Amino acid sequence: YTHSIPLVEVLGPASNYTKIIKLENVSTEFVPLVKQISGNKDVPDLKFNVNREVKDILPTNENIKKIKEYYKDDYKEYGEYFT
């Protein structure tokens, strides 16, 4: 359930943060930032298991409309960070 809660409900507005890093850039931006801030040069790169297998679930136009409405505030606040 918590993975589907809109970001703005959990994180608040994007203006609360000084830096937002896209998931695709975690290894190139986040890890160096942690090394810099912590002074620890031994921070390992992060690895993600990504499953890109396409499922046979196709949303209807009504489903898409409901999803867009549910997450509209997320797209307003964080849309530029979505890939």
Side-chain angles (χ1 to χ4, degrees):
Y1 168 74
T2 58
H3 292 298
S4 62
I5 295 174
L7 292 174
V8 292
E9 289 185 24
V10 178
L11 303 175
S15 61
N16 284 351
Y17 304 94
T18 57
K19 182 143 183 89
I20 297 175
I21 298 171
K22 289 183 175 184
L23 187 57
E24 65 195 37
N25 298 329
V26 166
S27 287
T28 59
E29 292 182 40
F30 179 73
V31 171
L33 183 63
V34 170
K35 288 178 181 180
Q36 176 190 352
I37 291 170
S38 70
N40 181 353
K41 304 301 181 202
D42 296 324
V43 176
D45 285 338
L46 301 174
K47 305 275 190 258
F48 296 97
N49 293 328
V50 178
N51 183 352
R52 301 228 181 249
E53 182 181 327
V54 177
K55 304 290 182 189
D56 291 333
I57 300 173
L58 297 173
T60 65
N61 288 337
E62 185 62 26
N63 295 144
I64 293 169
K65 182 178 171 183
K66 287 178 182 180
I67 291 167
K68 285 182 176 181
E69 177 62 26
Y70 186 73
Y71 291 108
K72 72 179 177 187
D73 292 337
D74 280 1
Y75 279 94
K76 264 192 250 178
E77 284 293 325
Y78 296 100
E80 68 185 279
Y81 304 102
F82 296 163
T83 56

